[in-house]
Amino acid sequence: MKVKVISRSTDEFTRERSKDLQRVFRNFDPSLRPQDKAVEYVRALNSAKLEKIFARPFIGAMDGHVDAVSCMAKNPNYLKGIFSGSMDGDIRLWDMASRRTVCRFPGHDGAVKGLTVSTDGRILVSCGVDKTVRLWDVPVATLVDSTDCSDKTPEPLAIYGGNNAFWAVDYQWDGDLFATAGARVDIWNHNRSQPVNSFEWGTDTVISVRFNPGDPNVLATSASDRSIAIYDLRMSSPARKLIMQTKTNSISWNPMEPMNFTAANEDCNCYSYDARKLDEAKCVHKDHVSAVMDIDYSPTGREFVTGSYDRTIRIFQYNGGHSREIYHTKRMQRVFSVKFSCDGSYIISGSDDTNLRLWKAKASEQLGVLHPREQRKHEYHDAVKNRYKHLPEVNRIVRHRHLPKPIYKAAALRRTMTEAERRKEQRRKAHSAPGSIVTEPVRKRRIIKEVE
């Protein structure tokens, strides 16, 4: 006669120390847990609600400028540092951890319009409406121990003059060249006092310039004649040019997909393009209700942040038509510059009210060191929320954002105008000969022509 008995090894359920967690034995067979889906749905609902409860994106403001913040630059070798330039010519280096000014670089007579830092993090380049480009030495002591050098006035390493105001500057990735934008695009070497090359396509002012992170010889510019141009330093003439219906204020390349870039436009939208195929946008990013002034990609290339004239900051997925997050405060005015931090965890914005503001990239993210159990808990909450995000109740909670009344009204008005335009086009098409009116997709509608 056989007798079945329950056999358990003592090592499996006995704690080694009194503070160890008691092991829990679970059977995950779905036939034994008929309420599994219902339990997970409730957890997803609670995760969505907890995300709203703990959403505190604003960390703090960095005040010190006496005029509007016009531009910013990151130091690739110094995670906590951010440079900012203002309309009164003042340039500051900030320590984001302590939110204080570490160093000041006075010298410009007018507004500072462009800032950029070399790849090695040692040289800061600034340009402005006073028709000068200045090179500054970033103090090494500042990078190491954040020693305050505000009592010493740094002198520029070099000053280069021009015939016209400079509107933007960008440093080449892993190179010695930098480009300035103004009446034309000038390519400079910091060891020479004159441009090593110049590009001119038309007579309008170039307002932004960005080097490609994948190919250091390719750069993109936008101009006040509503054009976006791509230049190659290995060629004597510009490569391609795209003309849109409205002006592009800023351009940012995707660091993980260097053939793609996104343009911040005056018509409240952002347009993502493939540089090899400019006749159609890859994606149109909508939600702002006023001109988009600046744009910057996350180091991961999965999302980008935009700052707008409507006094808000929005975060978009790289392939998403609508923003996943909107940040605003009552005191923040028109946002002229935005940057992702070098680790992608924070966002810095500079606005018309003279302040820089520090935000979390994920509004409900827990700051500080997380224990492994906490990390696994957050990952599980994100997983169940993502699994049930298509259900109405979870989707409603996740999508809801509190908007200021002017933004809410302007967005409603834009939706009304868009719907009226769509109905008008449908009626015109219905009362015309078949095939006489071709509906153009949104990705092509704002493009006038491409010039090669």
Side-chain angles (χ1 to χ4, degrees), residues 63-72 82-94 101 103-115 124 126-128 130 134 136 150 153-154 354 356:
D63 59 338
H65 285 295
V66 295
D67 209 339
V69 179
S70 55
C71 55
M72 290 191 298
I82 187 83
F83 293 92
S84 65
S86 71
M87 300 296 278
D88 63 348
D90 185 25
I91 302 171
R92 291 174 180 246
L93 170 60
W94 301 86
T101 302
C103 202
R104 296 180 64 183
F105 304 88
H108 281 281
D109 293 332
V112 181
K113 285 294 184 179
L115 287 175
L124 170 69
S126 64
C127 67
D130 59 355
R134 295 170 187 259
W136 309 86
S150 55
T153 304
T354 75
L356 277 79

Side-chain angles (χ1 to χ4, degrees), residues 412-428:
L413 181 61
R414 278 185 63 83
R415 282 195 298 271
T416 304
M417 292 166 62
T418 305
E419 186 62 25
E421 223 171 274
R422 189 184 64 81
R423 283 199 308 271
K424 185 177 180 180
E425 189 176 355
Q426 283 181 344
R427 288 167 183 167
R428 186 184 289 123

Side-chain angles (χ1 to χ4, degrees), residues 68-320:
V69 179
S70 55
C71 55
M72 290 191 298
K74 295 179 286 191
N75 191 331
N77 275 9
Y78 182 45
L79 192 63
K80 298 190 297 178
I82 187 83
F83 293 92
S84 65
S86 71
M87 300 296 278
D88 63 348
D90 185 25
I91 302 171
R92 291 174 180 246
L93 170 60
W94 301 86
D95 183 0
M96 288 191 288
S98 60
R99 299 203 294 274
R100 64 184 180 90
T101 302
V102 174
C103 202
R104 296 180 64 183
F105 304 88
H108 281 281
D109 293 332
V112 181
K113 285 294 184 179
L115 287 175
T116 186
V117 183
S118 61
T119 313
D120 59 5
R122 296 301 179 88
I123 297 176
L124 170 69
V125 184
S126 64
C127 67
V129 297
D130 59 355
K131 304 179 185 177
T132 62
V133 178
R134 295 170 187 259
L135 269 64
W136 309 86
D137 185 20
V138 178
V140 180
T142 309
L143 304 181
V144 178
D145 55 4
S146 298
T147 306
D148 194 349
C149 65
S150 55
D151 54 338
K152 297 174 288 190
T153 304
E155 293 294 327
L157 298 174
I159 301 176
Y160 306 146
N163 298 324
N164 303 93
F166 294 103
W167 288 89
V169 65
D170 193 40
Y171 218 99
Q172 189 181 29
W173 292 65
D174 294 328
D176 295 330
L177 303 178
F178 62 91
T180 57
R184 60 184 182 179
V185 179
D186 291 324
I187 310 299
W188 305 74
N189 188 318
H190 59 77
N191 296 319
R192 298 180 60 179
S193 59
Q194 294 295 324
V196 296
N197 202 351
S198 294
F199 295 101
E200 199 167 357
W201 195 344
T203 56
D204 279 65
T205 305
V206 182
I207 55 176
S208 74
V209 59
R210 284 285 187 277
F211 271 102
N212 189 307
D215 189 345
N217 293 306
V218 175
L219 66 151
T221 64
S222 65
S224 56
D225 62 351
R226 303 166 299 161
S227 68
I228 299 171
I230 295 177
Y231 298 85
D232 195 329
L233 301 185
R234 295 162 293 195
M235 299 171 62
S236 57
S237 61
R240 305 174 79 183
K241 188 177 184 180
L242 173 73
I243 299 176
M244 300 186 67
Q245 290 186 5
T246 46
K247 185 177 71 172
T248 296
N249 290 316
S250 184
I251 288 173
S252 183
W253 294 91
N254 189 330
M256 292 292 111
E257 299 173 357
M259 74 291 293
N260 298 334
F261 66 89
T262 305
N265 206 273
E266 283 277 328
D267 66 353
C268 316
N269 297 335
C270 295
Y271 299 89
S272 291
Y273 289 98
D274 189 329
R276 302 164 296 186
K277 188 175 180 291
L278 292 177
D279 59 341
E280 181 179 354
K282 285 172 66 74
C283 187
V284 181
H285 311 276
K286 305 176 180 181
D287 267 349
H288 279 295
V289 296
S290 192
V292 187
M293 303 305 294
D294 198 17
I295 182 172
D296 188 46
Y297 260 96
S298 164
T300 61
R302 298 294 92 185
E303 55 189 20
F304 60 86
V305 61
T306 58
S308 172
Y309 213 72
D310 61 11
R311 308 191 295 274
T312 63
I313 300 163
R314 288 183 184 266
I315 303 173
F316 291 85
Q317 298 290 339
Y318 77 105
N319 57 357

Side-chain angles (χ1 to χ4, degrees), residues 312-446:
T312 63
I313 300 163
R314 288 183 184 266
I315 303 173
F316 291 85
Q317 298 290 339
Y318 77 105
N319 57 357
H322 294 278
S323 61
R324 74 159 177 85
E325 199 63 82
I326 175 171
Y327 294 159
H328 55 87
T329 67
K330 287 184 178 179
R331 294 170 183 250
M332 187 163 71
Q333 297 300 311
R334 298 166 296 190
V335 182
F336 288 134
S337 58
V338 287
K339 292 288 179 190
F340 256 104
S341 64
C342 292
D343 62 349
S345 300
Y346 301 97
I347 290 168
I348 307 98
S349 66
S351 57
D352 211 10
D353 57 1
T354 75
N355 280 349
L356 277 79
R357 288 178 171 83
L358 190 62
W359 312 81
K360 289 189 282 189
K362 294 181 180 176
S364 58
E365 188 178 23
Q366 186 176 337
L367 295 179
V369 180
L370 291 181
H371 293 291
R373 284 188 72 191
E374 291 179 307
Q375 187 66 40
R376 287 197 298 271
K377 183 193 73 171
H378 290 313
E379 289 171 358
Y380 176 72
H381 283 178
D382 290 339
V384 294
K385 195 169 52 188
N386 191 50
R387 183 175 182 180
Y388 292 96
K389 64 181 180 183
H390 62 281
L391 296 178
E393 190 65 20
V394 179
N395 188 32
R396 184 185 66 81
I397 297 171
V398 170
R399 286 188 57 196
H400 176 74
R401 294 290 181 275
H402 173 70
L403 296 176
K405 189 177 279 187
I407 307 294
Y408 183 81
K409 288 185 174 180
L413 181 61
R414 278 185 63 83
R415 282 195 298 271
T416 304
M417 292 166 62
T418 305
E419 186 62 25
E421 223 171 274
R422 189 184 64 81
R423 283 199 308 271
K424 185 177 180 180
E425 189 176 355
Q426 283 181 344
R427 288 167 183 167
R428 186 184 289 123
K429 196 172 182 179
H431 292 83
S432 302
S436 61
I437 295 179
V438 179
T439 304
E440 203 170 20
V442 181
R443 296 191 300 274
K444 289 186 176 183
R445 202 169 293 167
R446 304 296 295 180

Side-chain angles (χ1 to χ4, degrees), residues 10-11 13-23:
T10 314
D11 298 334
F13 60 89
T14 306
R15 293 182 293 180
E16 293 182 4
R17 291 178 294 274
S18 60
K19 292 185 179 179
D20 285 356
L21 296 173
Q22 189 77 43
R23 185 173 177 186

